[in-house]
Amino acid sequence: MLLKDKVIIVSGIGPGLGARLALRAAEYQAKAVVLAARTPSKLDETEQLIRAAGHGCEIFKLPTDITQPAQCQRLAEQTTERFGRIDALINSAYLHGSWSTSGNAAMDDWRQTMEVNLFGSMNMTQAVVPQMKQQKSGSIVMINTMATRRTNQLEAGYAVSKGALQTAVQYLAEDLGPHGIRVNSTYMGWMWGEPVKAYLQGESQRQGVSVESLAKEVGKDIPLRNEIPDEGDCAAAALYLASDYARVITGAHLDVNGGHYLPH
């Protein structure tokens, strides 16, 4: 299978994409799935999700705040001690920040967003690099956003932080490539799962229309089947980049949004 015998770290474990990444990694026969998030209960819920699906891979849970370099270092070291290697890091942890336009956004809010999305992702990346260099292989996948591709003023701070991460990927790919380490990005758009369902339910109550009609309206802008992509399918695309099937791909920007954004 796609990740057979590999040790995969997933940061940002929660009810959305993070949990789906972990579940898919287990489905794809990873040897071990390492779960990282600030909230221990989210780690427990994801472990239960994996076990309920019948997967028997090893699971290592460690509460981790990626804005703290020492905690990232601890996660990498304990993963290596337990499993002897780190094959892939999926940087899924993020902070969206306030919904505000670029012209009136609070810069303190932008700084907090940057602290997680750029510096936190770099903390985790730098923590796993020594082990990946030692084993002369590894894959790092940054979960990015379509907000860097299609302007949405209310997500300005979030998009700017992820745009900085996009540039970091190019530099990391060139820097780490000679050591056999690949670094790539996936650009997620709408994903059908708990976070989007909750958002649409809120909008349904506010606008007095059904969730189904709102989802169909969003789907009109998505060429592939005119529907919101399932977050499990989006997770699969990120894990493809973590696998050996992508062993000659680095510095790539993979759009995972059903064609909602089409590069020119």
Side-chain angles (χ1 to χ4, degrees), residues 212-226:
E212 292 74 17
S213 65
L214 290 172
K216 285 182 179 179
E217 192 63 28
V218 172
K220 289 179 181 179
D221 292 329
I222 301 174
L224 187 59
R225 292 184 288 274
N226 293 129

Side-chain angles (χ1 to χ4, degrees), residues 33-248:
V33 181
V34 179
L35 309 178
R38 288 182 299 177
T39 308
S41 62
K42 292 180 180 179
L43 305 181
D44 295 337
E45 290 166 4
T46 300
E47 180 181 26
Q48 292 167 11
L49 186 69
I50 292 171
R51 295 304 183 216
H55 303 304
C57 64
E58 296 184 69
I59 295 174
F60 175 43
K61 301 176 297 181
L62 188 64
T64 304
D65 180 349
I66 66 169
T67 67
Q68 303 300 312
Q71 293 189 29
C72 296
Q73 189 66 32
R74 180 188 63 177
L75 177 66
E77 289 175 353
Q78 291 192 18
T79 298
T80 303
E81 288 171 6
R82 282 173 176 259
F83 306 113
R85 60 186 299 108
I86 300 172
D87 293 295
L89 164 66
I90 314 296
N91 272 314
S92 180
Y94 75 98
L95 177 67
H96 190 280
S98 299
W99 295 81
S100 57
T101 65
S102 53
N104 63 11
M107 290 297 98
D108 282 346
D109 183 72
W110 279 34
R111 288 186 184 94
Q112 291 174 5
T113 306
M114 193 77 74
E115 192 66 41
V116 175
N117 298 345
L118 175 63
F119 298 118
S121 296
M122 286 300 301
N123 288 339
M124 270 308 315
T125 296
Q126 291 184 339
V128 303
V129 161
Q131 175 58 35
M132 289 184 174
K133 282 185 174 180
Q134 183 176 327
Q135 66 199 33
K136 297 183 173 58
S137 67
S139 175
I140 299 164
V141 182
M142 308 292 194
I143 303 300
N144 213 298
T145 173
M146 192 177 66
T148 63
R149 311 292 229 183
R150 291 172 59 105
T151 303
N152 176 356
Q153 277 295 336
L154 293 179
E155 293 189 291
Y158 175 57
V160 168
S161 69
K162 289 289 196 174
L165 184 62
Q166 171 181 307
T167 300
V169 165
Q170 300 302 108
Y171 278 80
L172 286 165
E174 184 176 273
D175 182 31
L176 301 178
H179 302 281
I181 303 170
R182 300 181 294 106
V183 190
N184 294 290
S185 298
T186 59
Y187 292 78
M188 307 302 189
W190 289 90
M191 293 183 288
W192 189 252
E194 292 307 316
V196 165
K197 288 178 186 177
Y199 169 75
L200 293 181
Q201 286 166 356
E203 286 299 296
S204 172
Q205 295 174 0
R206 187 178 70 84
Q207 298 181 33
V209 297
S210 69
V211 169
E212 292 74 17
S213 65
L214 290 172
K216 285 182 179 179
E217 192 63 28
V218 172
K220 289 179 181 179
D221 292 329
I222 301 174
L224 187 59
R225 292 184 288 274
N226 293 129
E227 65 183 20
I228 298 174
D230 180 79
E231 65 185 6
D233 292 333
C234 296
L239 293 173
Y240 159 75
L241 289 174
S243 77
D244 289 341
Y245 289 98
R247 68 189 307 271
V248 295

